[in-house]
Amino acid sequence: MADSKEDPAVFTSTCLPSDPRLLATVTNAYLGTRVYRDILHVNGVYNGAAGDTHRADIPSPLHVRMIVPDGGDMPVETFTLNTRTGTFSHKLQSPSYTATHQIYAHHSLVHLMAFSITIRRSAGTSQPITVQLHAPFVPKSQDLDLQQGPDFHGAHYIYGQTLVPEVEGGPQPTVHMLWTPVPQAVTLHEEEQEQCWEFLTAVAESEEEAKRSYTEGLAHVAAGSLHSSHTHAWAALWRGCCVDLEGPMPLRQAVYGCLYYLLSAIPPQDTSGFRFHGISPGGLSNGTQGEDYWGHVFWDQDTWMFPNILLFYPKAARAILEYRIGTLEGALLNAQEQGYKGAKFPWESAATGREVCPEEIYGAQEIHITGDVLMAFEQYYYTTQDHKLFRMDGGWELVRAVAQYWCSRMVWSEVEQCYHIRGTSEWKDLSLEHTLGVLQSEVSPSSSPPPGVMPPDEYHHQVDNSAYTNAVAQRSLNFAASIARDFLIPVPEEWVECAKKLKVPFDAERKYHPEYDGYSPGEPVKQADVVLLGFPLMHPMHPEVRRNDLMMYEPATELSGPAMTWSMFAVGWLELKEMERAQGQLNKCFNNITEPFKIWVENLDGSGAVNFLTGMGGFLQVILFGYTGFRITKTSLRFDPAFPSDVRKLEVTGVSYLGSKLKFSITKEEMRIGVTKCPLHPALEVVLEESGRRFPLHEGATSTRVNSMH
């Protein structure tokens, strides 16, 4: 779909950004680093107690740079991130030779990172060619007690345990690392035309796995297949997940960049052997102490990144949910400490599920995270019908615990005759009497006042009845009751009653949703909040109300706020088919994309997280859920395309739904759906909403001009 010869998936520059935080990242689900950085990180390996816990810094043997020679035959220097192959390269090109330095985190062999130096002689030259290497590696870490072990197959070996557990008695993993020693220079001798030197780094939490991975890497090196096996894995990943469009090159580049950085973070389809520990806002390349939220996992993962991953790779989405199941015990303790039942997921999560936010107010009050987690489970269930996750692998226990938490967090208002989720320090106008007259202790919290509520808009705290928080709590309870019925489990009456009678603030005169009780129209808002009711919550409302919410909060929202905000305004306007407004909001996102490697910054001034996967996730949702109109419901995958005039065609390949794989090709005139895999019997069928006509979808079949799918 190229508009020119330029490849939208390849980012090339003759210089590096002046801010090293904006360098390209090379990561897989287990290991990650920024290029030319002296540390790397391992998924799930944290050091420090409670609010001090952060990704453990591990010294990186990949911190190597080719030195540009002084004077004489000065080479031309280029730096390239190829998102198709998951490879960063630095090239020196002179009349007599080309030297290429490639760096990558192996996508299928996730315990391996590697780099290579290749020198190729130009025709007509014969003298030796030497490339100097700058390799300032020091095997020390502020976070691990590192010790040197015996060399292994020519590799150096260090290992060490993290110094401080997250909680008393919590995990203190040991990291084992093997790496190929790096010389000060490499030389292509006069009789050689081309030579490649390959350097391996293997990292694991056991000596056995580190040595096994290093040995496997050596076998690939001997076979000449190390890099090709990595690029083949990336090619397979892109075959199963491709989004391309006929439109402006910056838009196409942004899509490829966002997909690359997000896909870099997910587990490969056929890889096991390590426990996945989720995705933080800055990814594995970031998260050292004091930076990029210290590598903690937020709602960013479940709300902003997860829907895109689920749409293409349900197995990877399942791994994200398994991370939340694995931290359920910590979430149960979080709720218990605040005097509530069930599970309260932490605002910032690391290895245990206990709250690790350095600032107490956020950890105590941003309780919407618990509903955000469960919404990801709901989307997964409706997309996959994976009963095993819920019946056998801990999903139901999590669903039930979240429902219990929300019920215990509510109080009954005699004045308004509905349930409130209070955030103020007083309980005025409230009664603990349950309308059913039973199970009072199940519905009401302890006698201490609520610890406060902060909505997604972090400019406000201790609010009563945050519209978003209450709406996501209501959705949690409705889903819990629905899945219980599916599994023939008795539904607690309080779940139904609390969901039905929970207040979601609404101004009937102005026909919009106040952000919370007492919100004044025009009051500044930090980020997307009420607009999330329309999407992703799909809270029932008339289109007029949806439009009023967008109109009310768009001018009130800080332009300098977090990067994902404007994507949700764009989705809202696309939903209402107001293309110019949608385009205006989407254009704001480009202000957060930096050159040359399309790294996102969280805020316009460069503060906050870098490689901001949250912003990328929101941007991709504009394309995948805004332009296509995809909506995942209990009974169908719905779609209602709408995209601006400068986009002529959109192709989305690899959409997963109930085990089928689909390809959507959309223009302003028609939509075609191709089925590349359809194991269902009976097969999926497309339903035209207006006429009710049905078209069965079989493998290889194509439908046109369609509106919804069951």
Side-chain angles (χ1 to χ4, degrees):
M1 287 193 175
D3 290 342
S4 67
K5 293 181 180 179
E6 186 178 0
D7 187 339
V10 179
F11 312 141
T12 298
S13 176
T14 56
C15 62
L16 295 173
S18 58
D19 185 345
R21 300 182 310 150
L22 306 180
L23 286 167
T25 69
V26 286
T27 72
N28 57 37
Y30 187 72
L31 296 171
T33 189
R34 291 198 303 260
V35 297
Y36 307 138
R37 195 179 191 189
D38 60 356
I39 58 172
L40 59 83
H41 293 130
V42 176
N43 188 282
V45 176
Y46 294 91
N47 181 54
D52 187 49
T53 193
H54 55 276
R55 291 202 189 281
D57 289 352
I58 298 162
S60 174
L62 281 81
H63 180 38
V64 174
R65 180 89 179 263
M66 292 193 302
I67 300 175
V68 180
D70 293 328
D73 191 8
M74 282 292 289
V76 175
E77 194 173 16
T78 56
F79 303 91
T80 300
L81 175 66
N82 188 327
T83 68
R84 295 189 191 279
T85 64
T87 306
F88 179 86
S89 61
H90 174 207
K91 182 177 288 187
L92 302 177
Q93 193 155 16
S94 79
S96 57
Y97 71 92
T98 300
T100 305
H101 177 198
Q102 290 189 322
I103 310 168
Y104 54 99
H106 205 290
H107 185 71
S108 57
L109 308 175
V110 295
H111 292 280
L112 284 179
M113 302 187 85
F115 73 90
S116 65
I117 306 291
T118 302
I119 305 176
R120 180 170 53 82
R121 184 186 304 283
S122 300
T125 63
S126 59
Q127 74 276 18
I129 299 167
T130 297
V131 172
Q132 302 290 330
L133 302 178
H134 180 62
F137 176 68
V138 179
K140 294 181 180 178
S141 169
Q142 63 178 3
D143 295 316
L144 298 106
D145 181 18
L146 290 174
Q147 303 174 56
Q148 186 172 346
D151 285 2
F152 175 79
H153 293 337
H156 292 337
Y157 171 41
I158 56 174
Y159 63 94
Q161 189 177 40
T162 55
L163 300 175
V164 181
E166 182 179 315
V167 296
E168 188 174 350
Q172 284 180 265
T174 299
V175 173
H176 299 260
M177 184 166 75
L178 297 154
W179 74 97
T180 312
V182 180
Q184 292 183 331
V186 291
T187 299
L188 182 70
H189 298 291
E190 58 186 22
E191 69 278 5
E192 296 174 317
Q193 188 66 31
E194 182 175 326
Q195 177 74 301
C196 179
W197 295 263
E198 297 195 82
F199 302 87
L200 297 174
T201 297
V203 185
E205 290 172 59
S206 72
E207 180 180 356
E208 179 184 20
E209 180 58 48
K211 290 182 174 178
R212 188 199 67 76
S213 295
Y214 192 84
T215 302
E216 187 172 6
L218 286 179
H220 276 284
V221 169
S225 61
L226 182 67
H227 186 246
S228 63
S229 63
H230 164 73
T231 60
H232 289 160
W234 264 102
L237 191 67
W238 282 115
R239 280 195 301 274
C241 158
C242 188
V243 182
D244 204 358
L245 49 85
E246 288 183 6
M249 182 58 73
L251 176 61
R252 300 180 69 212
Q253 290 175 324
V255 169
Y256 273 99
C258 290
L259 281 170
Y260 164 73
Y261 289 115
L262 192 57
L263 293 176
S264 295
I266 67 173
Q269 294 299 287
D270 302 316
T271 297
S272 57
F274 75 97
R275 180 181 167 192
F276 185 64
H277 282 268
I279 308 174
S280 58
L284 266 179
S285 57
N286 299 302
T288 192
Q289 189 174 27
E291 295 179 6
D292 304 297
Y293 302 114
W294 299 4
H296 299 162
V297 177
F298 292 70
W299 74 311
D300 303 48
Q301 169 192 259
D302 311 85
T303 300
W304 299 96
M305 306 175 206
F306 180 85
N308 306 296
I309 296 167
L310 173 63
L311 200 61
F312 295 113
Y313 289 114
K315 285 185 180 178
R318 193 186 207 272
I320 290 173
L321 303 186
E322 288 169 348
Y323 165 71
R324 291 299 191 183
I325 292 171
T327 59
L328 178 58
E329 183 179 347
L332 292 167
L333 290 170
N334 294 336
Q336 182 181 329
E337 284 185 355
Q338 286 193 347
Y340 299 109
K341 298 182 181 297
K344 176 192 176 295
F345 281 92
W347 179 239
E348 300 189 27
S349 180
T352 68
R354 300 307 306 277
E355 183 60 67
V356 294
C357 181
E359 299 171 83
E360 184 179 356
I361 187 172
Y362 300 105
Q365 296 197 25
E366 294 224 44
I367 63 173
H368 65 83
I369 174 67
T370 298
D372 302 326
V373 167
L374 197 58
M375 188 162 63
F377 278 80
E378 179 182 354
Q379 292 170 338
Y380 177 80
Y381 180 63
Y382 293 155
T383 302
T384 67
Q385 285 297 307
D386 178 2
H387 285 213
K388 182 176 181 294
L389 178 74
F390 294 88
R391 289 183 179 274
M392 301 174 62
D393 298 338
W396 167 247
E397 286 74 14
L398 184 146
V399 172
R400 181 177 58 197
V402 168
Q404 289 171 337
Y405 171 75
W406 286 124
C407 287
S408 73
R409 192 63 178 78
M410 297 177 193
V411 290
W412 180 253
S413 167
E414 285 289 355
V415 173
E416 296 192 56
Q417 288 293 294
C418 60
Y419 286 103
H420 286 193
I421 296 179
R422 299 282 284 179
T424 54
S425 58
E426 299 178 15
W427 289 40
K428 55 189 176 184
D429 299 328
L430 298 177
S431 166
L432 299 186
E433 182 181 355
H434 190 317
T435 53
L436 299 177
V438 294
L439 297 176
Q440 175 178 314
S441 62
E442 292 293 313
V443 178
S444 305
S446 66
S447 57
S448 59
V453 173
M454 180 182 288
D457 167 24
E458 293 174 344
Y459 282 174
H460 299 93
H461 62 97
Q462 285 194 306
V463 305
D464 292 337
N465 295 313
S466 153
Y468 178 84
T469 303
N470 288 21
V472 83
Q474 185 180 65
R475 181 161 173 164
S476 295
L477 290 168
N478 285 331
F479 173 59
S482 175
I483 198 170
R485 295 184 191 104
D486 285 357
F487 296 162
L488 304 180
I489 297 171
V491 179
E493 194 172 358
E494 61 176 330
W495 294 5
V496 177
E497 188 72 11
C498 287
K500 182 180 177 182
K501 296 184 178 180
L502 176 60
K503 178 180 181 179
V504 176
F506 181 69
D507 185 325
E509 183 179 340
R510 293 187 177 93
K511 296 184 179 178
Y512 89 107
H513 292 94
E515 187 183 292
Y516 53 86
D517 283 356
Y519 174 81
S520 300
E523 200 170 331
V525 173
K526 180 183 178 184
Q527 62 194 73
D529 189 309
V530 171
V531 297
L532 302 175
L533 266 62
F535 181 83
L537 259 60
M538 296 188 286
H539 187 74
M541 69 180 80
H542 190 277
E544 180 186 6
V545 174
R546 177 76 159 124
R547 190 177 195 281
N548 289 344
D549 283 349
L550 292 164
M551 291 293 289
M552 179 67 72
Y553 291 103
E554 188 178 306
T557 304
E558 289 286 357
L559 281 171
S560 59
M564 67 281 191
T565 286
W566 305 113
S567 58
M568 291 299 102
F569 281 96
V571 171
W573 290 121
L574 287 166
E575 201 174 83
L576 296 173
K577 303 296 186 286
E578 298 200 31
M579 305 308 172
E580 288 189 16
R581 287 185 178 275
Q583 189 63 44
Q585 298 309 307
L586 183 63
N587 287 343
K588 292 178 183 177
C589 296
F590 287 89
N591 296 326
N592 296 78
I593 304 175
T594 66
E595 298 299 336
F597 304 120
K598 316 303 176 187
I599 293 286
W600 283 58
V601 292
E602 180 176 1
N603 302 312
L604 287 178
D605 62 1
S607 63
V610 295
N611 197 38
F612 190 47
L613 297 176
T614 314
M616 299 184 204
F619 182 86
L620 287 173
Q621 287 190 54
V622 177
I623 311 301
L624 296 174
F625 295 89
Y627 283 7
T628 64
F630 287 151
R631 297 291 184 271
I632 299 164
T633 72
K634 184 175 183 178
T635 58
S636 65
L637 171 65
R638 308 177 71 85
F639 37 90
D640 185 13
F643 42 78
S645 57
D646 60 357
V647 175
R648 298 177 293 281
K649 185 177 182 181
L650 173 65
E651 286 188 353
V652 184
T653 304
V655 172
S656 291
Y657 184 61
L658 301 181
S660 293
K661 278 286 191 178
L662 309 166
K663 177 179 179 179
F664 291 79
S665 182
I666 308 168
T667 66
K668 288 181 170 59
E669 292 74 34
E670 67 176 14
M671 174 188 285
R672 294 181 177 271
I673 307 173
V675 183
T676 58
K677 175 185 173 187
C678 190
L680 288 181
H681 300 285
L684 290 173
E685 58 180 17
V686 178
V687 181
L688 301 185
E689 271 191 319
E690 291 183 4
S691 66
R693 292 181 62 196
R694 295 173 177 265
F695 301 89
L697 280 180
H698 302 286
E699 208 159 307
T702 299
S703 266
T704 63
R705 295 185 183 276
V706 294
N707 296 98
S708 63
M709 178 180 299
H710 296 267

